[in-house]
Amino acid sequence: MLMPPADAYPEKSIVTQLRAYLAQADLPQDGRIPPERDLAVALGVSRTELRKALDVLESEGQLWRHVGKGTFMGSRPLDTFADIAALARRSNPAEVMRARLVIEPEIARAAAFTATPAAISEMRLCLARSRQAETWRQYEGWDARLHRTIAEATQNSLLLGLFDTLNAVRRAVTWGRLRTAPVKPLPSHHSFTEHDAIVDAIEHRDMTGAAAAMRTHLRSVERKLLDKQDARADEG
Amino acid sequence: MLMPPADAYPEKSIVTQLRAYLAQADLPQDGRIPPERDLAVALGVSRTELRKALDVLESEGQLWRHVGKGTFMGSRPLDTFADIAALARRSNPAEVMRARLVIEPEIARAAAFTATPAAISEMRLCLARSRQAETWRQYEGWDARLHRTIAEATQNSLLLGLFDTLNAVRRAVTWGRLRTAPVKPLPSHHSFTEHDAIVDAIEHRDMTGAAAAMRTHLRSVERKLLDKQDARADEG
DNA sequence: TTGGATACCAATTATGATTTGGTTTATATT
DNA sequence: AATATAAACCAAATCATAATTGGTATCCAA
């Protein structure tokens, strides 16, 4: 059997050339390779031929391309694992509660270290407003804002994002409980003093105390949640 | 008792005037009200006075403001950005490291309570494989799997989801690292013994010890990260 | 028929000007 | 002296526009 002439598989040689280039060139962190137009010039081939070679490498799964973005080595990044709906479907109220107990005390601890006076003022505002709430709906609004203000006080956008994700799942999870509680929070509502303790600790830069107070609060919420007598799905 | 003159409490009258305007004007769907500069002209007051009135309404929780966005009626919507890419764009390596220090020790603590023998076996496997790694890429693979196995061991799908989100952001964030480290992890690599300590504590159901060991490990990784001599951004 | 250059398209990114809430400063005004 | 006003400035966010980039179609030449 005769060997084919050297240029019988021109695309093959270009693929080889391209592989050599990609192995030699040090790519940026995201694995992006030069745009097709530039790369064609650099390799001394037409864009059409280069694209054929890129097609081969893409079919091999060695790179991925997207209009407007560019061409990248490696495998295409999986899109948004943080699908709230999917998470909520797999999860349940007990898990949410346990996750809160894992995450939020540590967020409170971090907040005690980084909280600004302005953030603490906002926390105080939330405390006052939640006490004045005329309906559970209003109360829950100020309660949610308090907890988020604490997360913001960490000054860490990633922690805040994780907190928001946790919160979104919490809202999405079906609690299967009815809102049969009294029409408005009573002054004796356990959360009031517990919230106060959390903010006090943060204000005094007491990291351990803040974490402990938050844990106590969430445990209290958890108890109410599991208590069949008080079927209200309290949000803490 | 005499009535005070009409302008004795100018801020009060402006608040009233503002309330009337907001009640009368039909606001757009998002509840946005005109910019302060325009509204001041429309109401015939100075911007300073208008802002005082807006402060009152804001403290009442009837509106919220944000620089660059505008002023809106109602309560501030909590922007849940579960989008990995968006999170990564706003974050940075330091934030990621701090977030890991907040989250992962508590995950290790929870895992010490819930881990099954099978999960612990898998952790041991990861330890062994990571020691046998011939390249940093291989090592990182087993390292990542170890940390995820610990998160799985909590048997909490929500915690696992949050861990995955954190991990995705970590990978997406630009580290700007230099791969100047040796071609493969040395036997003396600090992570080996630290990983061992974590798994040992989990196996002995030592919750406090697991959290402490994880914290020690991540602090060590953090140190390496900030060390200019060893610019390799170790992944733990 | 094949390959190459060109132009065009839609998705994306980059850029610069503009808007907006927040703050400071100088100047009247009382 | 105290207060209000106007103006300027700042940083965050938005908007509008241009420039990139992978994908596709067209025309021309070999």
Side-chain angles (χ1 to χ4, degrees):
Chain A
M1 189 176 178
L2 292 175
M3 286 293 288
D7 58 350
Y9 304 117
E11 69 285 357
K12 200 165 186 178
S13 77
I14 292 183
V15 169
T16 308
Q17 193 178 350
L18 179 56
R19 281 209 172 89
Y21 172 87
L22 293 177
Q24 154 260 320
D26 57 349
L27 303 173
Q29 184 55 29
D30 54 0
R32 182 178 194 175
I33 73 178
E36 291 179 355
R37 292 165 176 83
D38 297 0
L39 198 50
V41 174
L43 298 183
V45 298
S46 74
R47 192 178 162 212
T48 312
E49 297 272 349
L50 172 62
R51 282 182 56 75
K52 288 182 188 171
L54 286 172
D55 287 344
V56 173
L57 264 61
E58 185 182 28
S59 69
E60 291 175 358
Q62 299 202 357
L63 53 85
W64 61 278
R65 306 188 267 187
H66 190 87
V67 269
K69 279 185 164 157
T71 306
F72 302 81
M73 298 297 292
S75 55
R76 168 181 272 103
L78 16 71
D79 38 8
T80 66
F81 197 98
D83 182 0
I84 304 292
L87 268 178
R89 207 172 323 114
R90 295 199 193 100
S91 196
N92 55 63
E95 272 199 5
V96 171
M97 206 60 240
R98 280 193 47 214
R100 289 188 73 184
L101 270 162
V102 166
I103 304 285
E104 293 201 48
E106 294 306 307
I107 285 182
R109 182 195 305 275
F113 188 70
T114 54
T116 63
I120 293 171
S121 301
E122 192 174 342
M123 293 178 204
R124 294 271 176 225
L125 176 72
C126 293
L127 292 180
R129 293 270 175 261
S130 72
R131 275 197 156 90
Q132 296 163 359
E134 288 301 319
T135 68
W136 275 103
R137 185 169 202 80
Q138 281 181 20
Y139 166 79
E140 283 163 7
W142 289 110
D143 173 82
R145 182 162 163 192
L146 170 64
H147 282 263
R148 190 172 197 274
T149 302
I150 294 172
E152 286 175 6
T154 63
Q155 302 182 27
N156 186 316
S157 63
L158 177 49
L159 274 181
L160 181 58
L162 292 173
F163 173 84
D164 281 339
T165 303
L166 171 56
N167 238 358
V169 172
R170 177 164 67 85
R171 282 195 303 272
V173 152
T174 57
W175 291 85
R177 291 184 189 279
L178 300 178
R179 309 209 160 206
T180 58
V183 289
K184 79 172 200 177
L186 302 176
S188 61
H189 185 49
H190 65 90
S191 284
F192 289 144
T193 53
E194 293 166 7
H195 281 161
D196 287 341
I198 297 168
V199 177
D200 285 346
I202 291 175
E203 187 164 27
H204 291 95
R205 306 264 174 246
D206 177 7
M207 298 174 66
T208 305
M214 178 66 84
R215 198 171 298 116
T216 300
H217 170 52
L218 292 177
R219 287 236 176 83
S220 168
V221 172
E222 185 181 34
R223 253 195 313 278
K224 285 279 178 185
L225 199 66
L226 302 179
D227 185 357
K228 305 300 179 192
Q229 297 307 103
D230 181 355
R232 165 161 195 79
D234 197 332
E235 301 191 1
Chain B
M1 192 177 176
L2 292 175
M3 286 293 290
D7 58 350
Y9 305 115
E11 69 285 356
K12 203 168 186 179
S13 78
I14 293 182
V15 168
T16 308
Q17 193 178 350
L18 180 56
R19 280 209 173 88
Y21 172 86
L22 294 177
Q24 156 261 321
D26 56 354
L27 303 172
Q29 189 59 29
D30 55 359
R32 182 177 195 177
I33 74 177
E36 292 179 356
R37 292 165 176 82
D38 297 0
L39 198 51
V41 174
L43 298 183
V45 299
S46 72
R47 192 179 162 215
T48 312
E49 298 270 352
L50 172 62
R51 281 181 57 75
K52 288 182 189 170
L54 287 171
D55 287 343
V56 173
L57 266 60
E58 185 185 28
S59 71
E60 290 175 0
Q62 299 201 358
L63 54 81
W64 61 277
R65 307 188 266 188
H66 191 88
V67 270
K69 276 187 162 140
T71 307
F72 301 80
M73 298 294 294
S75 56
R76 166 183 273 106
L78 27 97
D79 47 344
T80 167
F81 44 107
D83 180 8
I84 304 291
L87 265 179
R89 203 168 333 110
R90 302 182 192 202
S91 196
N92 57 63
E95 274 198 5
V96 171
M97 206 60 238
R98 280 194 48 212
R100 290 188 73 184
L101 270 163
V102 166
I103 304 286
E104 294 202 47
E106 295 306 306
I107 285 182
R109 182 196 306 275
F113 189 69
T114 54
T116 63
I120 293 171
S121 300
E122 191 175 342
M123 293 177 204
R124 294 271 176 226
L125 177 70
C126 292
L127 292 179
R129 291 270 180 269
S130 72
R131 276 198 154 89
Q132 297 163 358
E134 288 299 320
T135 67
W136 274 104
R137 187 168 202 82
Q138 283 181 21
Y139 166 78
E140 283 163 8
W142 289 109
D143 172 81
R145 183 164 163 190
L146 169 64
H147 282 262
R148 191 172 196 277
T149 302
I150 294 171
E152 286 175 7
T154 63
Q155 301 182 29
N156 186 315
S157 63
L158 177 49
L159 273 181
L160 181 58
L162 291 174
F163 172 83
D164 281 337
T165 303
L166 171 56
N167 237 359
V169 173
R170 178 164 67 83
R171 280 194 302 272
V173 153
T174 57
W175 292 85
R177 61 183 167 187
L178 310 171
R179 303 218 164 214
T180 56
V183 289
K184 78 174 198 176
L186 301 177
S188 61
H189 185 49
H190 64 92
S191 286
F192 289 143
T193 54
E194 292 165 7
H195 281 161
D196 287 343
I198 297 169
V199 177
D200 285 346
I202 291 175
E203 188 164 25
H204 291 94
R205 305 272 175 236
D206 177 5
M207 296 173 67
T208 305
M214 179 65 85
R215 194 158 17 243
T216 300
H217 171 50
L218 291 177
R219 288 238 174 81
S220 169
V221 172
E222 185 181 34
R223 250 196 316 281
K224 284 282 179 184
L225 197 67
L226 303 179
D227 186 357
K228 303 302 179 192
Q229 297 308 104
D230 181 356
R232 168 165 189 76
D234 196 330
E235 301 189 2

